[in-house]
Amino acid sequence: MELKINIEKLGNATGKKVAIIGGGPAGLSAAKELIQLGYEVHVYEKMYEPGGLLIFGIPSYRINKEKVRENIKKLMNAGVIFYTNTDVGKDICLSEIIKKYDAVLIATGAWISKKMNVAGENLSGIYYALDYIIKYNLSKLGYLSEGLPKLSGKVAVIGGGLTAVDACHIALQNNVEKVYLIYRRGRWQAPAGKKIIENLETSGVHVMEFTQPIEFIGENGAVKAIRAVKTVLEKSNGAPELKIVPESQHIIPIDNVLIAVGLLPSIPNDDGKINIIVKEGPRTNIEKVFIAGDATLGPSYIGFAIQSGIKASKEIHTYLTHKEVELKIDKKSAPLRD
Ligand SMILES: Cc1cc2nc3c(=O)[nH]c(=O)nc-3n(C[C@H](O)[C@H](O)[C@H](O)COP(=O)(O)OP(=O)(O)OC[C@H]3O[C@@H](n4cnc5c(N)ncnc54)[C@H](O)[C@@H]3O)c2cc1C
């Protein structure tokens, strides 16, 4: 899986400026197209370096981070300007950016972890898996001064997606006593896929299917156990429904929890003063503001992010010139999640 950026001929300067908020695969692929079309392109990125989840989310055994950096370098050499450590909505207002540029592309991904909304979720020793994974990558890349909170004893990862799978791998690397993957449905329904869940089992993860946590139990403010119930898929008239098995409550002793039950788009909103709504395709409710990648509909895949960045740049070009442009989507450079 790679993000391949090959800058072809740069077009004549249009004299127009486009701001891209977020330097993940969606923002980067849009930056490539827009600079080639002759726009001045500025990328605002809240992290220490661009790359998004390619750098700070996906583990290095699945993606070559140096190759990602080489591709970003090509964009810099072509004239794309990156403002790193700039959190739009905090360090600079989104409204200010909208005023300054001819068009704005929101490509801020989906970094907000869904809460489980069960008692005890705030106990210490419980982390949202994506936050933990980002910290883990920050620490591996030498950006984290305060050190990574250590996982120990029995670790429960809750969820069935790739974030949960990567969290299990991190827990295994910590040489903890036991890693449980707790998922409320069956493995064949897991978004990560049955095969990947089975590979986890081979690596030593204890997979608990049809198990749903209903409370985190603490001792002196730290998590000590999970109260869970068993679930079952029951056929009623329509599609099978997930039901709680009566009298199935049980306690799972635990020392750390990583919650990975879903991610939501993280769209800047200037402290609630701006409300970006996705309209048709990459268009939003706000004139000259476009959207691409995971920020559009929530978590997806690198391939989707790249393709949607390309589509958004095409739409931006049409908006700014009233002319259509044919942009190639190289499917090979945009493979889907394996
Ligand atoms: C743990 C994990 C593993 C994954 N593994 C795979 C995989 O193996 N294969 C695959 O195809 N997909 C995988 N994915 C999904 C894939 O990484 C994403 O779908 C893809 O990165 C989305 O691209 P994006 O550009 O939309 O967003 P992101 O990559 O999330 O980038 C968004 C960027 O916006 C920046 N940003 C956010 N808010 C602001 C702000 N207010 N101001 C400035 N900058 C901001 C962020 O710092 C980030 O750089 C994985 C996802 C996760 C969480």
Side-chain angles (χ1 to χ4, degrees):
M1 162 210 324
E2 273 176 61
L3 168 85
K4 275 196 206 136
I5 289 182
N6 287 318
I7 304 282
E8 288 150 28
K9 215 173 119 240
L10 293 186
N12 292 336
T14 59
K16 293 200 165 131
K17 285 172 32 172
V18 181
I20 297 176
I21 306 170
L28 295 172
S29 60
K32 179 212 164 206
E33 300 301 336
L34 291 164
I35 198 97
Q36 287 188 165
L37 287 166
Y39 295 99
E40 192 178 325
V41 181
H42 295 182
V43 179
Y44 291 84
E45 171 52 57
K46 72 173 177 180
M47 301 298 274
Y48 298 92
E49 57 174 298
L53 290 176
L54 306 185
I55 295 285
F56 295 106
I58 304 176
S60 37
Y61 72 85
R62 276 220 311 281
I63 196 157
N64 184 333
K65 295 189 195 250
E66 277 320 306
K67 280 219 170 125
V68 175
R69 287 174 167 152
E70 277 168 28
N71 280 292
I72 293 168
K73 203 78 208 228
K74 289 186 202 164
L75 288 175
M76 289 174 181
N77 293 339
V80 175
I81 294 172
F82 287 88
Y83 298 103
T84 49
N85 289 312
T86 309
D87 191 334
V88 174
K90 286 199 180 114
D91 300 319
I92 178 167
C93 292
L94 176 60
S95 51
E96 209 178 296
I97 294 185
I98 297 174
K99 256 188 237 148
K100 259 175 61 182
Y101 290 86
D102 296 291
V104 176
L105 177 64
I106 311 256
T108 43
W111 288 33
I112 300 174
S113 297
K114 276 192 195 163
K115 294 202 174 358
M116 293 183 67
N117 294 321
V118 301
E121 200 166 343
N122 294 331
L123 287 166
S124 81
I126 301 181
Y127 307 97
Y128 291 99
L130 182 60
D131 297 352
Y132 194 88
I133 290 171
I134 289 170
K135 273 203 168 168
Y136 174 84
N137 281 303
L138 281 168
S139 140
K140 286 265 166 209
L141 296 166
Y143 288 121
L144 204 65
S145 49
E146 76 266 29
L148 186 72
K150 199 155 168 40
L151 303 175
S152 60
K154 298 186 178 72
V155 178
V157 177
I158 301 168
L162 270 198
T163 309
V165 171
D166 287 345
C168 284
H169 282 294
I170 291 177
L172 286 172
Q173 281 167 28
N174 272 254
N175 287 326
V176 298
E177 191 187 321
K178 186 113 203 140
V179 182
Y180 299 100
L181 179 72
I182 300 181
Y183 184 49
R184 65 188 178 129
R185 296 176 180 274
R187 65 185 64 195
W188 72 93
Q189 294 175 297
K194 183 169 171 265
K195 198 165 154 255
I196 290 184
I197 303 287
E198 279 168 2
N199 290 346
L200 275 183
E201 252 173 345
T202 315
S203 315
V205 173
H206 182 74
V207 179
M208 300 170 87
E209 295 162 89
F210 294 106
T211 305
Q212 184 173 334
I214 52 165
E215 184 189 353
F216 296 110
I217 302 166
E219 204 179 282
N220 302 324
V223 67
K224 275 290 149 230
I226 292 173
R227 190 187 307 279
V229 286
K230 294 303 286 178
T231 57
V232 66
L233 273 175
E234 254 176 32
K235 276 205 177 140
S236 47
N237 286 339
E241 269 181 60
L242 197 68
K243 296 258 170 72
I244 290 173
V245 177
E247 294 174 40
S248 64
Q249 270 196 29
H250 55 289
I251 302 287
I252 309 163
I254 225 76
D255 302 288
N256 281 124
V257 178
L258 294 164
I259 299 174
V261 296
L263 297 165
L264 301 167
S266 31
I267 300 175
N269 68 1
D270 285 1
D271 290 326
K273 289 186 206 99
I274 293 193
N275 185 19
I276 305 272
I277 297 166
V278 182
K279 279 186 101 187
E280 268 181 71
R283 291 205 173 239
T284 71
N285 55 324
I286 298 180
E287 169 84 13
K288 75 169 156 159
V289 178
F290 297 77
I291 194 157
D294 285 4
T296 318
L297 292 173
S300 184
Y301 304 98
I302 300 169
F304 164 79
I306 293 174
Q307 289 171 21
S308 94
I310 297 172
K311 280 187 194 147
S313 40
K314 186 175 162 178
E315 194 80 13
I316 289 172
H317 182 67
T318 308
Y319 167 77
L320 292 174
T321 60
H322 305 289
K323 284 186 204 141
E324 293 268 336
V325 63
E326 219 20 78
L327 294 179
K328 264 191 295 171
I329 295 182
D330 175 3
K331 295 239 161 84
K332 270 198 224 123
S333 76
L336 293 183
R337 199 180 274 202
D338 38 49

